[in-house]
Amino acid sequence: MMDLKQYFKRIGFSGSAEKPDLATLKLIHKLHVMSIPFENLSIHCGEKIIMDLDVIYDKIINRSRGGWCLENNYLFGWVLQTMGYDITILGSRVFNNSLNDFGPLDSHLINKVVIDGEAYIADVSFGVSYQIREPLELVSGKDQSQAAGVFRLLDKGDMWVMEKTGRKPEVLDPAFAKSRLVKTKLSKTIYCFTMEPRGRDHFIEMSHKLQTDPEVLFTNKSICSLQTPTGFKALIGWTYSQITFSPDEGVDFYDIKDINDEELEKILCGEFNIRLVNKSQPVDRTVMYTL
């Protein structure tokens, strides 16, 4: 049985579920991204990801795992709808730096939430420094400051675009100063989306592709990231990073180190509260991905 109370326990929410207002939405959105990792480890430990709410609920709530957007945001949409929010599932196309364009198909699931006639974009599953902690107002061109930087949504007529301006990275260990994981551009286009409502079936074929296509990001990198009060932490392949946001200094501090197989399980358990049934095979092939 899918139980809203168990979800609230998982994210540490103790407030009232009877008021589907903006304050509550902001709080549970923030608690979700700081409690439930963005991760694709199922692909790398022999598990199939299925777009079934019961299966997703069991994985994330009962087994204390994380998930990617097709799991986290799908579950979050169920949570909001059950609480009485007016939500619509939308599909988005992620910006591909190699192509310098958006992907051709919707590969990212997000939720539009309408409260008192005002629309917001909720997204609890993009990860690393591109993760919003609170929903964004669906207002074109408005700078919306959050912990990771300044996010904005732009109405392009036929689609909306999300972009972000961050801070300069300061890498603490010089050995990682030129790591592929360290971003070199402060501004980034993240994804685009339209207002066309989508359902579960819209993403099923893409879910299979993202798990099996040897050319896509998720088959080439094992990813696990979680937001923290001061920044975020991430395990990409065998590289573990702790990023500390320092907006007053205009920088983000990157503490990066490589780990071995023996440390992998300790990191997953101690830092992300993840205990895998099957052993994960870390992967970090040369596909563009930055923290």
Side-chain angles (χ1 to χ4, degrees):
M1 290 285 293
M2 294 174 61
D3 184 352
L4 203 56
K5 291 181 180 178
Q6 291 303 310
Y7 169 81
F8 291 151
K9 182 179 180 181
R10 173 80 168 88
I11 67 170
F13 175 69
S14 57
S16 171
E18 304 301 319
K19 293 178 61 179
D21 56 18
L22 181 58
T24 302
L25 173 62
K26 287 183 175 181
L27 179 56
I28 61 172
H29 193 290
K30 183 177 181 179
L31 290 173
H32 187 116
V33 301
M34 297 182 73
S35 304
I36 300 175
F38 168 75
E39 52 109 333
N40 71 337
L41 301 179
S42 290
I43 297 173
H44 303 287
C45 63
E47 300 172 354
K48 186 176 181 180
I49 299 171
I50 301 173
M51 283 203 67
D52 180 292
L53 269 176
D54 289 321
V55 173
I56 294 169
Y57 176 93
D58 179 64
K59 175 183 177 180
I60 293 177
I61 306 306
N62 296 334
R63 295 194 283 127
S64 193
R65 284 284 302 278
W68 61 7
C69 71
L70 300 182
E71 298 169 290
N72 267 317
N73 279 329
Y74 191 25
L75 177 67
F76 194 64
W78 169 79
V79 168
L80 297 182
Q81 195 167 43
T82 304
M83 292 178 68
Y85 285 97
D86 176 4
I87 74 113
T88 303
I89 293 175
L90 303 178
S92 63
R93 296 184 290 131
V94 177
F95 191 81
N96 186 316
N97 290 300
S98 298
L99 300 175
N100 196 34
D101 199 359
F102 299 102
L105 300 171
D106 290 340
S107 61
H108 185 61
L109 186 157
I110 59 178
N111 289 291
K112 182 183 74 171
V113 188
V114 178
I115 303 173
D116 297 330
E118 302 295 331
Y120 302 85
I121 295 299
D123 183 353
V124 296
S125 197
F126 204 88
V128 293
S129 66
Y130 310 113
Q131 178 62 60
I132 58 173
R133 300 204 174 189
E134 296 181 351
L136 297 179
E137 296 178 55
L138 191 61
V139 176
S140 183
K142 180 178 181 178
D143 285 352
Q144 304 188 53
S145 296
Q146 297 202 7
V150 178
F151 293 85
R152 65 189 63 85
L153 298 172
L154 302 172
D155 185 356
K156 298 292 187 176
D158 59 337
M159 64 181 181
W160 285 77
V161 172
M162 179 190 288
E163 62 180 30
K164 178 211 167 189
T165 301
R167 293 176 290 269
K168 180 182 177 182
E170 185 166 317
V171 182
L172 300 181
D173 185 342
F176 291 94
K178 295 185 179 180
S179 167
R180 297 193 311 269
L181 292 172
V182 179
K183 60 191 177 188
T184 56
K185 296 181 178 179
L186 300 188
S187 295
K188 178 178 173 62
T189 301
I190 302 175
Y191 53 70
C192 70
F193 57 94
T194 71
M195 293 295 110
E196 184 173 355
R198 300 298 190 184
R200 166 186 171 272
D201 291 350
H202 179 70
F203 299 95
I204 290 178
E205 185 176 341
M206 178 55 70
S207 176
H208 176 73
K209 177 181 174 65
L210 293 176
Q211 296 177 67
T212 58
D213 188 335
E215 301 298 321
V216 301
L217 170 68
F218 292 120
T219 59
N220 283 281
K221 290 191 185 294
S222 52
I223 300 170
C224 185
S225 78
L226 184 67
Q227 303 297 300
T228 69
T230 56
F232 68 91
K233 46 194 172 183
L235 177 63
I236 315 297
W238 288 271
T239 304
Y240 177 64
S241 306
Q242 291 181 305
I243 281 69
T244 302
F245 299 148
S246 185
D248 290 342
E249 298 179 66
V251 299
D252 292 338
F253 293 103
Y254 283 54
D255 186 3
I256 307 174
K257 67 177 182 178
D258 287 331
I259 63 172
N260 56 41
D261 281 344
E262 293 180 0
E263 296 173 291
L264 181 69
E265 188 173 335
K266 293 180 181 178
I267 293 286
L268 287 175
C269 180
E271 300 297 336
F272 301 99
N273 195 32
I274 289 179
R275 297 166 179 82
L276 298 174
V277 175
N278 302 317
K279 182 176 175 60
S280 177
Q281 301 296 326
V283 178
D284 188 10
R285 301 188 187 98
T286 309
V287 172
M288 190 175 293
Y289 183 76
T290 59
L291 298 171

